[in-house]
Amino acid sequence: GESVGLHLPTLSVQEGDNSIINCAYSNSASDYFIWYKQESGKGPQFIIDIRSNMDKRQGQRVTVLLNKTVKHLSLQIAATQPGDSAVYFCAENNGEDSSYKLIFGSGTRLLVRP
Amino acid sequence: EAGVAQSPRYKIIEKRQSVAFWCNPISGHATLYWYQQILGQGPKLLIQFQNNGVVDDSQLPKDRFSAERLKGVDSTLKIQPAKLEDSAVYLCASSKRGQTMNTEAFFGQGTRLTVV
């Protein structure tokens, strides 16, 4: 498969360490946020979501933190594994005008060193 | 449950030719999105349908791109005529929209278009 993000910011971590990927979103009216994982040659895959009435949500090995004050979102991956290597995108959903457009950020490439 | 299906998987055309992409969303999903993803960038929303109506097409280059979802299920995206800068992966996604808020969108594998 081909590479998804040749010029994206890259985070390199050692296998077993924790990873933190950050995202700044643009619209203060956005009320729903999603983290997606995209592997080479594949479409984005849902990881975890969070609504604006929460500031933290945990899944299996992943945690999303939302700071609405500074419009910042982060994805924490515990005990990072080689299979976590991919490009990660945050997406915001603005329901202000009821259109619920899903807008993606620019992405971060995660490389896991064995 | 079957995922979002897209075809073709790959397409190579010459500039000024036409091309069409097809998408079959997950059964029961009312919202359908078409995204363009240029290499090294995040997906960019082109058009969003709610059933068979267009909710947003503000980023669709309407002089050359068109999309339809006639029966509120399958959708096609067409480019006519294609330009070199249209080379990208075209992603289709669908979601089960609630009455007051949206839910996660599920993506197909995409169609990689190369315009030469």
Side-chain angles (χ1 to χ4, degrees):
Chain A
E2 60 198 66
S3 177
V4 169
L6 294 178
H7 307 294
L8 295 171
T10 299
L11 174 66
S12 179
V13 300
Q14 190 72 37
E15 180 179 355
D17 286 352
N18 297 334
S19 303
I20 300 177
I21 300 172
N22 297 303
C23 174
Y25 64 92
S26 58
N27 193 332
S28 57
S30 293
D31 55 7
Y32 178 58
F33 305 88
I34 309 173
W35 278 101
Y36 282 94
K37 172 186 180 182
Q38 189 173 27
E39 296 172 292
S40 290
K42 297 183 179 179
Q45 177 186 8
F46 172 86
I47 301 174
I48 191 168
D49 59 359
I50 188 168
R51 302 199 184 275
S52 59
N53 60 351
M54 304 172 68
D55 53 20
K56 180 179 180 179
R57 189 162 188 227
Q58 289 185 294
Q60 186 177 16
R61 284 202 306 119
V62 294
T63 301
V64 55
L65 299 177
L66 174 63
N67 185 331
K68 294 183 288 293
T69 303
V70 295
K71 294 190 288 186
H72 184 267
L73 202 62
S74 69
L75 176 70
Q76 300 178 359
I77 304 174
T80 312
Q81 301 170 359
D84 296 327
S85 292
V87 177
Y88 289 81
F89 294 98
C90 65
E92 61 183 294
N93 194 233
N94 176 7
E96 186 177 41
D97 61 356
S98 298
S99 68
Y100 296 104
K101 288 187 290 189
L102 189 62
I103 306 299
F104 279 74
S106 55
T108 297
R109 172 183 293 280
L110 176 64
L111 292 176
V112 182
R113 305 188 304 272
Chain B
E1 179 183 77
V4 176
Q6 288 189 248
S7 68
R9 188 80 175 89
Y10 302 95
K11 190 74 177 179
I12 301 174
I13 61 172
E14 295 182 347
K15 59 184 179 184
R16 291 186 289 274
Q17 285 188 322
S18 302
V19 65
F21 312 126
W22 173 82
C23 173
N24 180 237
I26 293 173
S27 177
H29 282 193
T31 306
L32 186 147
Y33 308 85
W34 282 103
Y35 285 85
Q36 179 193 59
Q37 187 174 26
I38 293 172
L39 192 63
Q41 300 180 17
K44 171 189 159 186
L45 180 64
L46 293 176
I47 189 166
Q48 178 180 340
F49 292 94
Q50 182 70 12
N51 297 309
N52 62 347
V54 176
V55 172
D56 185 274
D57 62 358
S58 57
Q59 299 267 60
L60 189 73
K62 298 180 189 62
D63 58 333
R64 298 183 301 105
F65 286 64
S66 64
E68 59 184 14
R69 194 185 183 198
L70 292 176
K71 297 182 179 178
V73 181
D74 292 6
S75 177
T76 56
L77 176 70
K78 297 179 182 178
I79 307 175
Q80 180 181 11
K83 294 185 176 182
L84 295 176
E85 59 260 35
D86 297 332
S87 294
V89 174
Y90 290 85
L91 294 162
C92 179
S94 69
S95 70
K96 186 192 306 180
R97 179 178 167 180
Q99 287 188 340
T100 57
M101 63 181 67
N102 214 339
T103 59
E104 69 269 25
F106 296 86
F107 283 80
Q109 284 200 302
T111 296
R112 166 151 289 282
L113 174 67
T114 302
V115 182
V116 297

